[in-house]
Amino acid sequence: MMATSRKAPPAAKPSWLDAHRLELVAAWLLLCLTLGGASNAGSLANLALELGAAGIIAWHILRGQMASAGRDDLILLALLAAMVGWIVLTLIPLPPALWTHLPGRSFVAEGYRLLGLDLPWLPISLTDDRTVRSALSLLVPVATYLVVRPLAIRQRAWLAVAAAGFAVASTALGMAQLIGGENSPLRIYGITNRSVPVGLFANANHLATMLLVMMPLIAAAWPMVSDRPVRGGKRTTARLGWSPVAMAAVSLLLIGLVLIGSNAGLMLAVPALAGALFLGPLQPLLARAWVRRTLGLGVAAVMAVAVAMIFTGQFQQKIGVSATSRQAVTGTTLSAAGEYMPVGTGLGSFSAIYLRESGGEKSASEWMNHAHDDLAEVSLELGAPGVILMALFAVWLFGRAWRVWLRDPRTEGLPLIRAASLGAVIVVLHSMADYPLRSAAIAALFATLLTLIIERPADRPDNLPGEKPL
């Protein structure tokens, strides 16, 4: 009998959601960047983003979307679970015999005694309502991580280009705000920096953070989305040196950064611009191991100097009188953190605690909603557990970034991955002089960067001889 061949079953038609995944994810990220420009002033917009994020997370849990989680996913999940677990513990009411013995609680007990009231059960958090509201802000970066992670590397390059387009538009808006003066109607937040460009942010430094991240990102992403066919059917990729679009975008972002005038931002522009150059026109030089090592050590040295200068306050812009300068605020915050160690005062409690610790000056109460130093603020609010978890995350991030830059595997989209690692490190360093991750916009952008630098075995090709996997 003659064997009969069977036709292969037709491939399953992708669902509408799968077919339009990139557009939907881009819409979500741009929505976060548009509505999430303020930590406190945009409460209604942030609430809308948090509700949307909660829906996204629930949908992923129901569909089991994290079944293929890799090692880095699990590390980040463990750190997140530990942070959320500690926050929940700070909300559990404790008996008076226990909470009265916690550091820094004597004034609370004294207040009840002066009023002639019995001591109630109270949690570790001194502002439990603010702790709940602050904890909800974690929903946005988690949801963003979940929706961006499944995208292919070229899709994420398009996502980076979309974000860069937003950064360019926000910079142009900031220039228009500057021309319009301090009372320009283009400034969308009532409480904001009025003498410098802010774009769609309330804080000019947060716009600076986005511009810093986007400089190397657009240099690496644009070539991936601008491939063009050439003779012989092959494709070539335009680099920044031959791409007027990418060059103009990076130049405009740099101009915007100068106009903002953030000292920490200008300092961090050195590694950001170096990254843009080496991921653009100078990218072929990275094929040489000694260039990668020298560049890595150079960037590490510049960032170490940046950290030292930020900590000493040499490049931190003074705000108002000396009593409310950033350096003084950081000192007061760290002093208070020592008083409440090791448990802290509860997430979101900074403004109330700082007002008490600083003596209740009216000038401080008007604007001091954050410490302008996330390390100091976390030390105060979350105590030793928060500091330990931040340190563990920093070790993972810096180690991952180091491996991304110093290795040379044939990984698709490696320049974009390197740009993301540089951007993530810049955000963390800028957090030592400000609080960019407290805004939903930068938190969502940061989560997007993390999805690029995690190890994904499915994206990694065979390694070069003598190379270890990332």
Side-chain angles (χ1 to χ4, degrees):
M1 294 179 63
M2 182 177 290
T4 58
S5 61
R6 295 183 177 180
K7 292 183 178 181
K13 185 179 180 180
S15 65
W16 182 89
L17 182 62
D18 291 330
H20 297 276
R21 183 182 296 273
L22 175 59
E23 293 90 336
L24 293 172
V25 174
W28 167 253
L29 179 60
L30 292 177
L31 187 66
C32 291
L33 293 175
T34 302
L35 299 181
S39 59
N40 291 327
S43 55
L44 291 179
N46 287 328
L47 177 60
L49 291 176
E50 288 161 6
L51 290 174
I56 291 173
I57 295 171
W59 184 81
H60 274 77
I61 292 175
L62 291 175
R63 293 195 58 179
Q65 294 290 307
M66 290 302 292
S68 60
R71 181 189 63 182
D72 288 317
D73 291 309
L74 295 177
I75 291 174
L76 293 176
L77 179 61
L79 291 174
L80 176 64
M83 180 65 75
V84 172
W86 173 238
I87 293 172
V88 171
L89 284 176
T90 65
L91 293 171
I92 299 176
L94 303 174
L98 188 55
W99 69 258
T100 54
H101 289 86
L102 296 177
R105 266 63 181 184
S106 58
F107 78 94
V108 179
E110 183 62 23
Y112 280 101
R113 293 190 182 99
L114 290 175
L115 293 174
L117 300 175
D118 294 333
L119 296 179
W121 286 46
L122 292 177
I124 291 174
S125 174
L126 296 176
T127 55
D128 49 356
D129 57 332
R130 297 184 185 183
T131 296
V132 173
R133 291 201 300 268
S134 298
L136 291 176
S137 65
L138 294 173
L139 293 173
V140 174
V142 171
T144 304
Y145 184 93
L146 292 177
V147 297
V148 176
R149 185 185 178 279
L151 296 179
I153 189 68
R154 186 174 290 272
Q155 290 177 309
R156 282 180 276 178
W158 277 109
L159 194 64
V161 170
F166 176 89
V168 169
S170 197
T171 302
L173 175 62
M175 293 179 177
Q177 293 167 343
L178 193 61
I179 294 173
E182 295 186 1
N183 296 319
S184 170
L186 297 177
R187 300 180 189 273
I188 63 175
Y189 294 102
I191 301 176
T192 185
N193 302 115
R194 296 194 169 275
S195 60
V196 292
V198 293
L200 290 174
F201 291 87
N203 189 322
N205 286 311
H206 297 175
L207 175 61
T209 302
M210 184 176 66
L211 302 188
L212 288 167
V213 170
M214 286 302 160
M215 287 168 62
L217 210 62
I218 187 59
W222 183 256
M224 295 182 65
V225 302
S226 63
D227 287 359
R228 58 181 185 272
V230 295
R231 289 182 301 175
K234 297 180 180 179
R235 300 178 72 85
T236 185
T237 298
R239 291 192 176 93
L240 178 63
W242 295 272
S243 171
V245 174
M247 181 178 293
V250 172
S251 300
L252 183 63
L253 298 184
L254 184 59
I255 292 173
L257 196 61
V258 172
L259 291 177
I260 292 171
S262 166
N263 290 318
L266 291 173
M267 184 166 48
L268 293 173
V270 176
L273 186 57
L277 291 174
F278 277 93
L279 294 170
L282 304 182
Q283 187 182 144
L285 294 177
L286 293 179
R288 303 176 183 180
W290 69 269
V291 173
R292 296 197 307 275
R293 294 190 179 93
T294 302
L295 182 63
L297 291 173
V299 171
V302 170
M303 290 186 171
V305 172
V307 171
M309 290 182 172
I310 290 172
F311 268 122
T312 58
Q314 295 182 38
F315 281 89
Q316 293 187 4
Q317 182 181 2
K318 303 301 181 182
I319 299 179
V321 296
S322 59
T324 56
S325 71
R326 292 189 182 185
Q327 191 173 4
V329 171
T330 299
T332 301
T333 304
L334 290 176
S335 176
E339 179 183 345
Y340 292 97
M341 277 290 178
V343 295
T345 59
L347 187 66
S349 62
F350 169 80
S351 57
I353 300 301
Y354 183 84
L355 184 61
R356 176 180 181 274
E357 295 293 328
S358 62
E361 292 94 338
K362 183 177 183 294
S363 59
S365 66
E366 290 177 345
W367 65 273
M368 201 55 61
N369 57 327
H370 290 290
H372 294 269
D373 182 336
D374 258 345
L375 180 59
E377 189 163 341
V378 168
S379 300
L380 173 62
E381 294 185 341
L382 295 177
V387 173
I388 292 172
L389 290 173
M390 281 188 66
L392 291 175
F393 174 76
V395 169
W396 173 84
L397 175 62
F398 281 81
R400 191 84 195 115
W402 183 262
R403 290 193 295 274
V404 163
W405 275 87
L406 297 189
R407 301 290 182 183
D408 188 27
R410 290 172 296 180
T411 303
E412 182 184 7
L414 182 59
L416 182 62
I417 297 172
R418 285 173 168 166
S421 69
L422 179 59
V425 170
I426 285 174
V427 172
V428 171
L429 291 178
H430 206 183
S431 295
M432 295 181 182
D434 210 79
Y435 51 97
L437 288 171
R438 304 273 176 166
S439 68
I442 301 301
L445 181 60
F446 186 70
T448 302
L449 299 176
L450 293 184
T451 66
L452 279 162
I453 67 175
I454 62 171
E455 183 176 9
R456 288 168 39 121
D459 292 343
R460 190 179 65 241
D462 295 335
N463 300 310
L464 292 172
E467 291 279 1
K468 296 180 180 179
L470 280 175

